[in-house]
Amino acid sequence: DVVFCIDISGSMQSYLSYDSSSSRLSKLDAAKACCNMLVDQYLRADDRFAVCVFSDKGRTLIAPTAVRPGAAASALKTL
């Protein structure tokens, strides 16, 4: 089981670097991409993941959920 804790404060909107297509990439976009990659490529079908987010307050975005393709991406696009 894995729990991702993602900072969604204003500072996460700042740009981290350039990706391979020379588009600007925010810190939040990079964090979301990492979560998606880990869930889709490294966790097994019998694993579970959860996502908590925080800024000035914390909240659970995704309660522990079974791994399935695209599960993280669909939940994280709300950020």
Side-chain angles (χ1 to χ4, degrees):
D1 293 357
V2 175
V3 177
F4 299 103
C5 187
I6 302 174
D7 180 355
I8 59 169
S9 66
S11 66
M12 292 296 283
Q13 296 303 320
S14 63
Y15 294 112
L16 179 65
S17 65
Y18 293 91
D19 68 10
S20 60
S21 65
S22 297
S23 299
R24 293 187 76 135
L25 187 66
S26 73
K27 293 176 184 178
L28 182 57
D29 288 336
K32 290 171 17 177
C34 288
C35 290
N36 290 332
M37 180 189 66
L38 288 169
V39 170
D40 290 344
Q41 296 180 19
Y42 293 99
L43 297 183
R44 299 178 311 244
D46 60 339
D47 287 327
R48 295 181 307 163
F49 75 98
V51 179
C52 297
V53 295
F54 68 93
S55 182
D56 56 336
K57 295 181 182 178
R59 66 181 169 97
T60 300
L61 182 65
I62 306 170
T65 303
V67 171
R68 58 181 168 69
S74 64
L76 293 173
K77 68 180 165 187
T78 64
L79 295 179

